[in-house]
Amino acid sequence: MSRRIVVSVAAGAVVFAGAGAFALAHAGDQSPAPVHGKARYTAPAADRDGSLVFTTDVTASSEVKSVKVLAWPAKSSFGTKELTVNDMDGAEPAVCKPSGGDSRRCTYRVAVTHADAEGSPKGLWHVAVLVTAQDGDTTLDAKAADFTVA
């Protein structure tokens, strides 16, 4: 094997190793990411309240600081204008527990009374989730999950 080929192969290996290290470093600094969001709505019955339960898995390279949840009807002002981080100021917190590595399983539960159900718009609803990491990075998923109020 000629010396030129050996040097070229060695230089190529250094370039690929450097690119791999950059990719790993970049992957370690990713914004918080909510995934696998699920919403379960149960309407109130004659003798009991209903509920809304939302769960999501969240990964953040710098730890999860907070997860806020907001349920909103599709036929609302948020349906015509895009939901923003500022709109999430009044959102309620989810409870998060470690689920392995940098991941957390976050759950939001709220009781739905008969009065709540009667005063709520019927039809499709969305669940928005705002994740904030310890380093201040945020991710807003305005439609992390859907459910229907009948």
Side-chain angles (χ1 to χ4, degrees):
M1 190 180 289
S2 77
R3 184 176 174 167
R4 175 187 275 169
I5 293 173
V6 171
V7 171
S8 294
V9 169
V14 168
V15 168
F16 284 126
F22 174 77
L24 285 174
H26 180 69
D29 291 337
Q30 290 182 352
S31 295
V35 295
H36 309 299
K38 292 181 185 177
R40 188 177 72 240
Y41 173 78
T42 304
D47 60 342
R48 63 168 173 74
D49 285 346
S51 65
L52 171 63
V53 179
F54 170 75
T55 59
T56 187
D57 295 320
V58 178
T59 302
S61 58
S62 73
E63 297 292 323
V64 175
K65 179 179 178 181
S66 69
V67 175
K68 291 183 173 185
V69 177
L70 175 69
W72 57 278
K75 293 180 181 178
S76 71
S77 62
F78 294 138
T80 56
K81 72 173 184 87
E82 195 149 326
L83 189 74
T84 68
V85 171
N86 290 338
D87 295 324
M88 297 294 288
D89 282 343
E92 296 179 324
V95 175
C96 298
K97 296 181 180 181
S99 62
D102 293 336
S103 296
R104 304 284 181 266
R105 168 62 58 103
C106 300
T107 304
Y108 170 77
R109 296 177 197 275
V110 64
V112 178
T113 65
H114 289 278
D116 293 334
E118 289 172 11
S120 296
K122 308 299 182 226
L124 180 65
W125 284 62
H126 303 291
V127 178
V129 60
L130 175 66
V131 180
T132 303
Q134 290 292 348
D135 65 6
D137 280 349
T138 61
T139 300
L140 173 63
D141 185 347
K143 295 180 182 175
D146 299 325
F147 64 95
T148 302
V149 175

